[in-house]
Amino acid sequence: MKIQNTERKMIKVRSVQAASVYRVANGYKFLSKDKSNEEDKDEYVDSFIDYKTAVINESIFSEYARKHGVTVNKKDCSLDFILMKFEYGVDKDSSDEKNIKPAMDADSLRKYFYENDATITWTTIDKKTKKEIVGMRKTITYRMLYRNPGKAKKGECIFIRKKLYNHMIKYLTMGLYKRIPNMKGAKIVELSAYAPLITATAIDYIHIPLDNMLVVKDESVACKKPACVVNAVSKKRQVKDFKAFEPTLNQYGFTTYKRTQEKNPDLTYIKRSKQIFEDYGIDISRCPMKEVDYTDGKKHNKCVVEKKKEWEISNILWDGMGLIDSSIFPADMNGFIYCRSHFFKSCLFKGNLQQYFQDYYKDEYENAYIDDGIDLFGRKMKISDIKVIVTDNSLKWLKFTEYMSKPGSVENGFRYYKSFMERDGEIFQIVKTAHASKYGDLQRSSFQMNNTLLTLDREKLKSIAKTSIDYCNALKQDDEAFLNYLRITGSAYYSINNVLIDLYNWNDQFRYTQYFKKKRREIISKLKRERLQLGKLFQNGDNLTICGNPIALLKKVTGQDFIREGCFETYADRIQCYTRRFAEGDRIAGFRNPHNSPNNIVYLENVYPKELVKYFPDLGREIIVINGIGTDVQDRLNSQDLDSDTLYATNQPDIAELARKAYVEYPTIINNIPRAAKSDYYKEMESYAKMDNQIAKAQADTGVSSNIAQLALSYWFDGGCNDTELEDIFIICSVLAQCSIDSAKRNFDVTVAGELTRIQRLACMNPDPKYPRFYAELQKLKDKHKKGKKKNIDDNDVRFYDCPMDILYQLIGEEIVDMRTRGCTKVKTVRDVELLADLSEDKKRNKRQSKVIIDAVEEYRNAVSKLDKNDEAYSNNKGMAFDACMEELSGRKINMATMQYLVRYAINNESIRDSLLVVLHDKDMELFLEMFKKSPES
């Protein structure tokens, strides 16, 4: 049933800023940033569209687009799509005093282009003359098509050529867009979240007939445990109480009441203005504050925490997961396949389903059918036909059944869906499968995890950091360890690591060169300062994909009591799990992102249930089955579900013991904030713009909530772990992170951004100095790689706090060997040029070609320097820039003399050295290596 993945390619499109398109379309000029302008005058220049390259990755949607009207050239480029970004607004244009053009913010730009489309005139530039080619202009009007949920944080979306819009929106939404009426409460939030599921990047495809897919109703199972319940309560607005401040003002001869001044002429009447108060020397901060009700008619809630000795906590047993029989599981995949299709997403775990059925039904197997009521749509399915089992939570189209038929029943909805899927080939794209850690038995943790470990004991923290310290020290002292690290971290084809490895293998004396030593210092220093000291510590463990009670699901299908699964037992101080990554009996600490609190740590006991081992023998080492029956695991792991969520799991003894302490002493956090009532959105572009602006803002709040939680944790530890206000803050931040992540699909009765702002203003969140050392270094690292507004933390506002991360920061700095001061044997140094081969130049250097290559590499280097390293698409964008460089140089054969010159040029020019060496190595590796002396042993 697997479809062989023939050569498929991404579609390269142009990425534009909405502000740039608007300026050009409306004749705006903008202020030049040319620093060479000696006169201190505003200089306006004409606007232009500065576009970059983006991609629509291989997917069900991109394959359909290629076959249904979208034009893609031989280089996989298309002008039929653009990626529109809304990162900033348009500044006011005052270049013409008689015709001043107003400013427009990013939110307004989105509304404008959603409602009015975007018309762009593309020009073609001659590479040699750098001038426009006459007659090659193309004017295209684009319409907003979809917002990729993965890009929701940035608010980026795909626009399509207007004439293709109707056809593509029909395919994306399975025809539902036209059926949904334009009325208040239209389900555009859900439609925007689930229609783009088929645009996710596919690594392969699989054909699954719906007649072989059983759909059952998911089950919720509850238990009672202590909990920290986060509720939303009405909050009041803080305003200055000028009436209470009046006696103080009167003492200084002032009043803010006209009637008071009329009755007492000796008093001077002043308006309630900060500036006026300052002009009269009055300290406005002394004015008392009072709380008043909001009068705008909107809900204004804040979060509060209630500690409950007992609370009913529920798990949805198979939320977002399913099972797939090993007979149709792709041979080149491992453990699970995360599949997406039209309004469908499910993480399918590999198991011997049919073997289970044969063992259960025995002699009746061949003629066995499922019981009535098992299949969600009332189908009478033969047991031997079942190859895949999913629950209703994997079928997102169930949210739209009222539009899929007149009766609006799930049975009619399924017929609509089945008909559409059959026409489309019943294809599911595989977007993820299990992969082992590239670090072998090790995996990196995070500062969020480490700063919730409930200890300030330096010896215990040193033990926790030991693996990382030993790892880093080995890189300094062991060549093979360092080379292996280069292989691990140099997987990208444009990495300098590949050059260093090949040169070392060509001549092992290369390790003594100035260049190799310098790169080694830089790489190890980066690991120490930008990774280990900032919390990315190595531990024995991995990021394991979570599976939930698969035997219980098989029991439900066969009509048995799934609650009595028989695989796990329940305990008050731990949850049982099964993973081949750890030995039976191991105690495991588990963390899931977003992780903001000790209350999010789970403590696990690894067991090997006989039925799980028998019927799921090929789950592998990268999957963990966690018992959800009678436990609090999903809320404990901050709203964890089972559609490929991962758990950072380690059996490091100190961390495991601290996880036990956290699980026993810090109750699970419950998000009890009500979901907002039915939305007030209409099915019109103004509502889409409003929704996407809100989602973009809320998604950005996920990081803010994490940052606030880390500060609150640091202050809490520093104060002896006794401050309940700070404890409430990191508990609330845990819930706010959930709300911001889920904002693309649902709304809550709390404004995340407003609540985060309220918390940030609390006195307990503003100590002096404000920032722990590790936190400040993290922000500096982000600033270093960021394009745009930076945090710029003042060193005077930083100190070492008595918190786990600051102690780990210091320990790693102390324990990692400094080769200059620890009495290490001095290693000889070889000048770089000494390893260059002595070659006779039978051909002359091609000077023109040398210049073309150097210029192309400079252009590549400059393009990379403009990228934001904090951007999740950084590696992809850098790869495209490298590809463009190599494309520029394709077809050019480099002779020996030219290669020799370019290698020497690289060695003598540090700014371009790495980039040029990588390009030359990729262009002709054999000739490149011949430029260096070869050792006999290589």
Side-chain angles (χ1 to χ4, degrees):
M1 290 187 180
K2 183 192 169 191
I3 298 172
Q4 289 299 318
N5 188 5
T6 55
E7 183 64 26
R8 294 182 173 92
K9 298 179 180 178
M10 64 184 75
I11 300 175
K12 296 177 183 177
V13 302
R14 294 180 177 181
S15 166
V16 297
Q17 287 289 348
S20 171
V21 177
Y22 185 86
R23 282 197 301 250
V24 171
N26 292 277
Y28 275 64
K29 293 179 181 288
F30 66 97
L31 284 171
S32 170
K33 295 181 180 179
D34 185 3
K35 296 179 181 179
S36 62
N37 183 10
E38 296 180 0
E39 296 182 21
D40 191 18
K41 290 183 178 180
D42 290 342
E43 183 178 344
Y44 284 89
V45 296
D46 290 334
S47 297
F48 60 93
I49 295 179
D50 182 19
Y51 66 85
K52 294 180 173 61
T53 301
V55 295
I56 295 175
N57 283 317
E58 168 65 22
S59 65
I60 288 175
F61 174 74
S62 70
E63 283 295 286
Y64 182 86
R66 283 174 178 269
K67 297 173 183 176
H68 293 84
V70 170
T71 302
V72 183
N73 67 19
K74 292 180 180 180
K75 295 182 179 180
D76 297 308
C77 297
S78 177
L79 285 177
D80 288 338
F81 295 104
I82 57 170
L83 176 69
M84 184 82 86
K85 299 182 177 183
F86 298 87
E87 294 178 351
Y88 49 83
V90 173
D91 293 332
K92 182 172 70 172
D93 174 9
S94 301
S95 58
D96 182 354
E97 294 181 359
K98 296 180 180 178
N99 184 25
I100 295 176
K101 294 182 171 66
M104 183 179 285
D105 61 26
D107 286 4
S108 300
L109 281 174
R110 187 188 298 275
K111 180 176 181 295
Y112 176 85
F113 283 120
Y114 277 30
E115 291 184 316
N116 300 292
D117 303 331
T119 299
I120 301 176
T121 298
W122 301 110
T123 58
T124 303
I125 305 298
D126 188 294
K127 288 185 177 181
K128 294 181 179 179
T129 64
K130 305 297 182 184
K131 294 182 180 179
E132 181 186 346
I133 301 175
V134 179
M136 294 289 286
R137 289 193 171 198
K138 294 180 181 178
T139 299
I140 303 173
T141 297
Y142 297 94
R143 175 164 290 180
M144 202 288 281
L145 182 62
Y146 68 87
R147 179 202 74 238
N148 186 336
K151 298 291 185 183
K153 181 176 179 179
K154 293 186 173 183
E156 298 175 4
C157 49
I158 294 291
F159 279 56
I160 190 171
R161 189 190 289 259
K162 189 174 181 179
K163 71 176 185 179
L164 297 171
Y165 174 81
N166 288 336
H167 189 69
M168 292 303 164
I169 195 67
K170 181 179 180 180
Y171 181 72
L172 268 176
T173 65
M174 298 196 308
L176 293 175
Y177 182 78
K178 190 174 181 180
R179 289 169 172 254
I180 296 175
N182 183 13
M183 56 188 291
K184 188 175 182 180
K187 292 184 176 181
I188 66 170
V189 173
E190 297 89 337
L191 194 69
S192 295
Y194 300 129
L197 288 175
I198 58 170
T199 68
T201 303
I203 59 174
D204 215 330
Y205 298 88
I206 186 169
H207 171 237
I208 306 176
L210 294 185
D211 287 339
N212 297 119
M213 181 183 289
L214 172 64
V215 182
V216 300
K217 182 71 177 173
D218 219 322
E219 299 286 354
S220 180
V221 180
C223 67
K224 291 187 176 181
K225 284 181 172 290
C228 296
V229 182
V230 177
N231 294 302
V233 299
S234 179
K235 68 177 180 181
K236 295 183 180 293
R237 187 163 56 100
Q238 291 251 322
V239 298
K240 295 192 180 298
D241 189 349
F242 284 102
K243 187 173 183 179
F245 196 42
E246 184 68 9
T248 302
L249 288 175
N250 293 164
Q251 292 177 14
Y252 293 96
F254 300 104
T255 180
T256 60
Y257 294 92
K258 285 187 177 181
R259 288 186 177 180
T260 301
Q261 194 270 338
E262 290 171 358
K263 293 178 181 179
N264 192 346
D266 293 336
L267 296 177
T268 301
Y269 168 75
I270 57 175
K271 291 184 178 180
R272 296 170 182 175
S273 158
K274 181 179 179 181
Q275 185 59 53
I276 291 175
F277 272 59
E278 288 179 357
D279 290 344
Y280 283 101
I282 301 168
D283 184 2
I284 189 66
S285 65
R286 293 176 58 193
C287 181
M289 304 296 290
K290 66 178 180 179
E291 292 185 339
V292 298
D293 292 327
Y294 285 88
T295 56
D296 57 5
K298 298 179 181 179
K299 278 190 176 181
H300 294 272
N301 292 334
K302 67 177 181 179
C303 295
V304 295
V305 179
E306 292 184 71
K307 308 288 174 64
K308 299 288 187 179
K309 291 183 178 179
E310 188 175 85
W311 189 266
E312 186 170 281
I313 303 175
S314 298
N315 293 322
I316 301 174
L317 289 187
W318 311 292
D319 187 8
M321 65 165 273
L323 305 177
I324 180 169
D325 191 70
S326 56
S327 65
I328 68 166
F329 191 86
D332 56 351
M333 302 286 170
N334 300 302
F336 72 88
I337 51 174
Y338 182 30
C339 292
R340 290 188 176 187
S341 192
H342 298 275
F343 290 79
F344 174 98
K345 61 173 181 172
S346 190
C347 190
L348 304 179
F349 292 93
K350 180 182 181 181
N352 295 336
L353 279 56
Q354 286 300 318
Q355 182 188 344
Y356 180 90
F357 295 143
Q358 288 176 28
D359 292 348
Y360 179 75
Y361 289 101
K362 296 183 173 62
D363 294 341
E364 299 177 2
Y365 166 75
E366 292 295 340
N367 298 308
Y369 284 81
I370 60 172
D371 293 339
D372 291 341
I374 294 296
D375 180 67
L376 190 68
F377 311 117
R379 294 176 294 169
K380 193 73 175 175
M381 293 182 69
K382 193 174 183 181
I383 287 292
S384 59
D385 289 339
I386 299 171
K387 303 299 181 185
V388 172
I389 304 167
V390 298
T391 76
D392 52 312
N393 284 316
S394 293
L395 307 182
K396 304 307 178 184
W397 57 264
L398 286 169
K399 301 178 184 294
F400 304 92
T401 51
E402 66 265 42
Y403 311 123
M404 299 171 84
S405 69
K406 286 185 179 180
S409 66
V410 294
E411 293 81 6
N412 282 303
F414 179 70
R415 282 193 280 273
Y416 180 101
Y417 180 70
K418 189 171 187 286
S419 175
F420 185 92
M421 287 293 289
E422 287 177 340
R423 291 196 304 272
D424 208 42
E426 295 177 308
I427 302 300
F428 295 79
Q429 60 190 36
I430 302 169
V431 300
K432 194 188 301 184
T433 190
H435 292 287
S437 169
K438 65 181 181 181
Y439 297 103
D441 287 337
L442 302 180
Q443 185 56 274
R444 298 186 301 181
S445 61
S446 69
F447 70 89
Q448 291 95 335
M449 300 171 189
N450 292 314
N451 210 36
T452 56
L453 299 177
L454 295 166
T455 183
L456 298 176
D457 185 294
R458 287 181 66 87
E459 290 305 312
K460 188 168 287 189
L461 289 169
K462 186 186 291 187
S463 173
I464 289 169
K466 186 179 186 304
T467 301
S468 300
I469 292 166
D470 291 347
Y471 188 98
C472 193
N473 285 337
L475 301 190
K476 293 190 171 193
Q477 299 167 334
D478 185 332
D479 290 341
E480 281 305 316
F482 179 66
L483 287 175
N484 189 50
Y485 182 71
L486 290 180
R487 292 185 192 98
I488 290 170
T489 57
S491 55
Y493 56 93
Y494 51 76
S495 172
I496 189 63
N497 292 19
N498 301 319
V499 178
L500 298 175
I501 292 167
D502 285 346
L503 285 175
Y504 183 97
N505 291 334
W506 184 258
N507 187 333
D508 61 2
Q509 296 298 299
F510 181 62
R511 77 184 96 169
Y512 301 123
T513 61
Q514 297 162 320
Y515 176 58
F516 186 85
K517 286 184 173 183
K518 182 175 183 292
K519 293 305 296 182
R520 188 172 188 168
R521 285 195 303 272
E522 289 174 353
I523 290 168
I524 296 174
S525 176
K526 183 177 180 180
L527 171 66
K528 174 188 172 183
R529 298 181 185 282
E530 298 185 7
R531 298 292 184 269
L532 303 183
Q533 285 191 298
L534 300 186
K536 289 189 177 293
L537 299 184
F538 291 111
Q539 303 295 351
N540 178 54
D542 207 346
N543 294 312
L544 306 179
T545 301
I546 306 171
C547 176
N549 298 91
I551 297 296
L553 182 52
L554 292 175
K555 287 196 170 190
K556 177 179 172 68
V557 170
T558 51
Q560 302 175 71
D561 184 358
F562 64 88
I563 295 292
R564 300 182 182 276
E565 182 188 37
C567 291
F568 303 105
E569 296 179 6
T570 57
Y571 297 92
D573 67 338
R574 63 192 184 277
I575 298 174
Q576 288 194 332
C577 68
Y578 163 64
T579 175
R580 288 191 175 275
R581 175 61 183 80
F582 299 104
E584 188 170 12
D586 273 6
R587 300 304 170 96
I588 301 165
F591 308 79
R592 175 187 167 269
N593 285 330
H595 178 85
N596 290 326
S597 168
N599 311 65
N600 295 145
I601 302 174
V602 67
Y603 180 56
L604 303 170
E605 176 191 8
N606 198 32
V607 295
Y608 278 51
K610 289 181 179 179
E611 280 196 300
L612 266 174
V613 173
K614 179 179 180 180
Y615 295 113
F616 293 87
D618 300 319
L619 281 181
R621 288 165 52 86
E622 292 80 38
I623 291 169
I624 184 168
V625 180
I626 305 181
N627 180 31
I629 300 173
T631 73
D632 58 351
V633 62
Q634 291 180 353
D635 279 312
R636 186 77 190 180
L637 292 176
N638 211 354
S639 194
Q640 168 251 317
D641 58 28
L642 298 157
D643 67 347
S644 80
D645 278 14
T646 60
L647 180 83
Y648 179 84
T650 177
N651 65 349
Q652 201 279 342
D654 300 292
I655 297 178
E657 178 55 31
L658 292 170
R660 187 200 64 78
K661 177 180 174 66
Y663 188 74
V664 171
E665 298 179 13
Y666 289 81
T668 294
I669 300 167
I670 302 299
N671 181 357
N672 202 41
I673 300 174
R675 293 185 184 181
K678 201 172 183 181
S679 76
D680 57 357
Y681 294 135
Y682 290 81
K683 195 190 75 173
E684 53 191 29
M685 296 317 293
E686 180 181 3
S687 287
Y688 270 90
K690 180 181 177 183
M691 170 186 69
D692 286 353
N693 280 327
Q694 289 181 347
I695 288 171
K697 288 181 174 67
Q699 289 290 306
D701 292 332
T702 305
V704 176
S705 64
S706 176
N707 289 343
I708 294 174
Q710 287 303 312
L711 291 173
L713 279 160
S714 301
Y715 307 153
W716 180 71
F717 274 113
D718 193 69
C721 305
N722 297 317
D723 192 318
T724 56
E725 185 179 23
L726 287 169
E727 185 176 345
D728 284 354
I729 287 171
F730 58 72
I731 288 172
I732 289 170
C733 284
S734 180
V735 167
L736 293 177
Q738 290 178 30
C739 295
S740 61
I741 289 171
D742 287 346
S743 64
K745 295 173 285 188
R746 58 186 68 94
N747 295 316
F748 295 87
D749 272 352
V750 67
T751 304
V752 176
E755 181 64 354
L756 291 173
T757 299
R758 179 189 72 82
I759 291 171
Q760 285 175 307
R761 290 174 176 169
L762 295 173
C764 66
M765 290 299 297
N766 289 278
D768 185 21
K770 182 172 183 176
Y771 300 106
R773 172 56 61 188
F774 86 92
Y775 183 92
E777 295 302 321
L778 273 165
Q779 299 306 320
K780 285 180 185 177
L781 180 61
K782 288 182 180 179
D783 283 352
K784 177 182 174 183
H785 299 318
K786 186 186 290 185
K787 304 298 178 185
K789 190 176 180 181
K790 301 180 186 293
K791 183 84 174 177
N792 291 327
I793 292 177
D794 190 325
D795 284 341
N796 293 323
D797 209 11
V798 179
R799 74 170 174 89
F800 281 108
Y801 276 77
D802 201 15
C803 65
M805 265 307 303
D806 264 4
I807 296 172
L808 286 166
Y809 180 94
Q810 295 173 78
L811 286 171
I812 291 167
E814 295 165 4
E815 296 297 321
I816 289 179
V817 173
D818 186 337
M819 304 291 280
R820 299 165 298 180
T821 60
R822 297 282 181 99
C824 300
T825 304
K826 191 171 183 180
V827 180
K828 67 178 180 178
T829 300
V830 176
R831 290 190 305 129
D832 298 329
V833 293
E834 291 181 35
L835 258 64
L836 292 178
D838 298 320
L839 302 171
S840 58
E841 300 185 17
D842 23 343
K843 287 186 179 181
K844 288 187 177 180
R845 172 171 70 92
N846 187 329
K847 293 183 179 180
R848 184 176 179 279
Q849 188 183 68
S850 301
K851 185 178 186 307
V852 168
I853 292 172
I854 291 170
D855 288 348
V857 175
E858 284 285 11
E859 188 174 338
Y860 159 63
R861 195 175 65 84
N862 290 334
V864 171
S865 69
K866 293 176 183 177
L867 299 176
D868 188 340
K869 287 188 178 181
N870 295 321
D871 190 335
E872 61 186 21
Y874 173 78
S875 295
N876 193 43
N877 292 335
K878 185 175 180 180
M880 286 194 294
F882 184 77
D883 290 342
C885 176
M886 299 310 295
E887 178 69 24
E888 177 76 16
L889 303 179
S890 63
R892 300 177 186 273
K893 180 71 175 175
I894 304 176
N895 66 33
M896 184 175 287
T898 306
M899 179 67 82
Q900 188 176 27
Y901 168 79
L902 289 169
V903 168
R904 287 182 177 274
Y905 184 90
I907 287 173
N908 293 320
N909 290 272
E910 187 174 355
S911 63
I912 198 177
R913 183 185 297 159
D914 287 1
S915 299
L916 183 51
L917 289 177
V918 169
V919 167
L920 296 174
H921 175 270
D922 189 85
K923 181 70 179 166
D924 190 338
M925 187 177 73
E926 290 185 10
L927 183 59
F928 172 79
L929 291 175
E930 288 176 11
M931 299 301 103
F932 299 86
K933 294 175 183 176
K934 185 177 183 180
S935 60
E937 297 80 10
S938 64

